[in-house]
Amino acid sequence: MSDSPQPYRVLARKYRPRSFSELIGQDAMVQTLGNAIRRGRLAHAFLMTGVRGVGKTSTARLIAKALNCVGPDGQGGPTIDPCGQCEPCKAIAEGRHIDVVEMDAASHTGVDDVREIIEAVRYAAVSARYKIYIIDEVHMLSKNAFNALLKTLEEPPAHVKFLFATTEVNKVPVTVLSRCQRFDLRRIPAELLATHFTHVVEAERVAAEPEALALIAQAAEGSARDGLSILDQAIAHAEMDDGPSLVTAAQVREMLGLSDRGSVRRLLALLLEGETASLIAAVREQYALGVEPLALMRGLMELVHAVTLMKAGRDIASPGQSTEEREMLADWAAQLGFAPLHRLWQLLLKGHDEVANAVLPIESCEMALLRVMHAATMPDPAEVARLLREGGASSSASTEGSSAGAASSAPASARLPATYADLIEAFWQGGKGQLAQELHDCVGVIRYAPPQFDYRPTPQLPADFLARLLPALREVTGTAWQVAAGEGPAEPTLLEQEQRQAADSRARILETPVVKAAMAAFPDAELDDRLERWSAEA
């Protein structure tokens, strides 16, 4: 009689790391732990925090193995490379070691559960070097449970170690955090996940396209467990077809409701070109293919983000990125300014939130994209302020029907602020209130000859003033300026001029016969500010 087949184990469990060398993306933590173990500087409590699926509980179990491993010959001590062959290593890996206790705080939240631990820690380990308590999702313990644990957590017996794991470290009391050695497990980069998935499919004897694995890695959002679950589903989806199993990018997109990169690029191109009818038709075509409206909005946001990073000079090469895509991103980065890119991002972000909460997702998606398209043809606040100052709306006609890229360009014939006061007013109108205030209060003009400007700073002027001023000048006026700080003779700041004018006005009022007589008759009287303002206006 043949043995019954072993039940299938999902990939997320089958490929759980069995040693620190298999724990991907957490090299800094592994190095810190290794140094601590080698030097005998072991904390009595560890706290692992991070998003789901990055290896918090797996790390806790590996630490338990590392601290209790005795080696194949039974003579070994704590090590960052547990053998996996001795009885403690095997028992911990199989979850049956009597001295390694795992507790799920989500289902054991009360003070009574913690009291059992407090009572048990007084007794020495039965067969291991350390008695270890692993508490998963520790943030779900009640306030009373945390308080009951504090004293034991601060001064536990030498044979006890506490290992905590949580996805919401902000909910863990500071009194507990201060008693633990904390490790923040990072999101695993998509490139590293894709490489890991390549090894998994090879071990599973399944063929997969590199682009398919890259899509799964991106969808995992830094979580190895989520990625392996998606890969499990993709393999099952591929096995539905006749012939050898092959996980393709098209299958993954269909399974996840994703749009391919080429379609998203075409959508963004139509959006920037202002092709309303073609844009709506392309959105409906993607919707008919099973692409979720939210996925469309997210794809456009990722594309705008990639263009912005490329414009900022960052290399954004990623697995599966074609030469065509890279060239198109570079072309957009060269044509679009930062201002329209930021505007596109904000509009798409607002549209994404609307689609996520909409009763009619596809309709909301279309309306959001139409808003993006038409908002892109509107002049930015700096241009509006310039048009208002010039008193003419004729130039606004040139913005009708323009794309988002065209909206970023200031008119070549734009008139620069004639006076320094006009420049400050342009900053107020352009939404640069802080810079306008600093120009008013803390800057003495040495020479103002647009687009050149030399100034003498006051001690109150922030150190980063010039770095913030130059891009703001270009944004507000549409022209690159030459600005320099100097120590030469300069006019008083506008604030100083206003204060001097107010003092002169006050002195003149006090010298008038009527006021002098009133002050002599009433020695304790004070000059009302309203009289000063009335005098100045008169």
Side-chain angles (χ1 to χ4, degrees), residues 61 97 122-123 203 225 236 250 264 274 282 293 319 333 336 387 416 473 538:
R61 292 171 182 165
H97 201 293
R122 295 183 299 174
Y123 303 103
R225 184 175 62 227
V264 177
L336 298 174
L387 292 174
L416 298 175
L473 280 169

Side-chain angles (χ1 to χ4, degrees), residues 194 197-198 208-219 247-253 256 258-262 265 318-322 325:
F197 297 157
T198 301
E209 294 179 353
E211 186 179 354
L213 299 181
L215 287 171
I216 293 173
Q218 291 169 359
V247 179
T248 65
Q251 290 171 337
V252 172
R253 290 193 193 97
L256 297 177
L258 300 175
S259 178
D260 66 272
R261 293 183 178 184
R265 292 197 301 273
S318 62
Q321 187 179 62
S322 64
E325 178 178 356

Side-chain angles (χ1 to χ4, degrees), residues 356-429:
N357 300 310
V359 178
L360 302 171
I362 184 60
E363 288 80 2
S364 297
C365 178
E366 290 172 344
M367 294 300 292
L369 293 181
L370 288 175
R371 182 174 64 226
V372 173
M373 179 182 292
H374 291 108
T377 66
M378 297 173 61
D380 59 26
E383 187 175 349
V384 172
R386 189 162 49 250
L387 292 174
L388 290 174
R389 288 196 308 274
E390 294 173 359
S394 59
S395 63
S396 65
S398 65
T399 63
E400 285 297 324
S402 65
S403 68
S408 68
S409 306
S413 59
R415 189 173 64 189
L416 298 175
T419 67
Y420 183 62
D422 291 339
L423 176 67
I424 294 178
E425 180 62 24
F427 269 70
W428 282 114
Q429 296 291 340

Side-chain angles (χ1 to χ4, degrees), residues 69-93:
C69 178
V70 296
D73 58 359
Q75 303 300 317
T79 174
I80 194 63
D81 297 311
C83 66
Q85 302 175 19
C86 63
E87 180 55 29
C89 284
K90 291 180 179 179
I92 294 171

Side-chain angles (χ1 to χ4, degrees), residues 197-484:
F197 297 157
T198 301
H199 298 323
V200 171
V201 294
E202 289 175 356
E204 292 292 309
R205 299 181 181 178
V206 175
E209 294 179 353
E211 186 179 354
L213 299 181
L215 287 171
I216 293 173
Q218 291 169 359
E221 297 183 340
S223 168
R225 184 175 62 227
D226 287 6
L228 287 172
S229 297
I230 298 172
L231 180 59
D232 223 340
Q233 184 180 355
I235 293 174
H237 184 78
E239 289 175 347
M240 293 173 62
D241 301 330
D242 296 332
S245 298
L246 174 63
V247 179
T248 65
Q251 290 171 337
V252 172
R253 290 193 193 97
E254 180 183 359
M255 183 184 76
L256 297 177
L258 300 175
S259 178
D260 66 272
R261 293 183 178 184
S263 298
V264 177
R265 292 197 301 273
R266 287 191 293 274
L267 277 178
L268 183 58
L270 293 172
L271 198 64
L272 296 177
E273 292 166 5
E275 297 288 344
T276 306
S278 300
L279 175 69
I280 297 300
V283 170
R284 284 288 174 173
E285 179 184 353
Q286 290 295 302
Y287 185 64
L289 292 173
V291 179
E292 292 295 328
L294 198 62
L296 279 180
M297 298 299 295
R298 177 168 180 168
L300 288 168
M301 290 176 65
E302 290 174 346
L303 200 53
V304 171
H305 179 250
V307 174
T308 307
L309 289 184
M310 180 167 282
K311 186 170 185 66
R314 178 177 173 183
D315 185 11
I316 56 170
S318 62
Q321 187 179 62
S322 64
T323 304
E324 177 190 4
E325 178 178 356
R326 189 168 183 81
E327 290 175 352
M328 186 168 285
L329 291 177
D331 187 45
W332 279 329
Q335 293 182 19
L336 298 174
F338 280 112
L341 285 171
H342 294 323
R343 188 186 307 178
L344 273 172
W345 174 263
Q346 291 296 333
L347 291 168
L348 288 171
L349 180 61
K350 179 176 175 58
H352 178 277
D353 293 343
E354 292 176 354
V355 173
N357 300 310
V359 178
L360 302 171
I362 184 60
E363 288 80 2
S364 297
C365 178
E366 290 172 344
M367 294 300 292
L369 293 181
L370 288 175
R371 182 174 64 226
V372 173
M373 179 182 292
H374 291 108
T377 66
M378 297 173 61
D380 59 26
E383 187 175 349
V384 172
R386 189 162 49 250
L387 292 174
L388 290 174
R389 288 196 308 274
E390 294 173 359
S394 59
S395 63
S396 65
S398 65
T399 63
E400 285 297 324
S402 65
S403 68
S408 68
S409 306
S413 59
R415 189 173 64 189
L416 298 175
T419 67
Y420 183 62
D422 291 339
L423 176 67
I424 294 178
E425 180 62 24
F427 269 70
W428 282 114
Q429 296 291 340
K432 308 292 184 183
Q434 182 177 350
L435 277 169
Q437 195 69 53
E438 292 169 355
L439 286 166
H440 179 275
D441 295 351
C442 308
V443 170
V445 176
I446 297 176
R447 183 170 70 102
Y448 182 78
Q452 295 183 344
F453 171 35
D454 297 335
Y455 69 94
R456 185 184 66 195
T458 65
Q460 294 77 25
L461 193 66
D464 64 343
F465 168 75
L466 186 58
R468 292 184 289 114
L469 178 65
L470 290 174
L473 280 169
R474 186 180 186 91
E475 181 180 341
V476 169
T477 66
T479 302
W481 285 58
Q482 294 181 357
V483 183

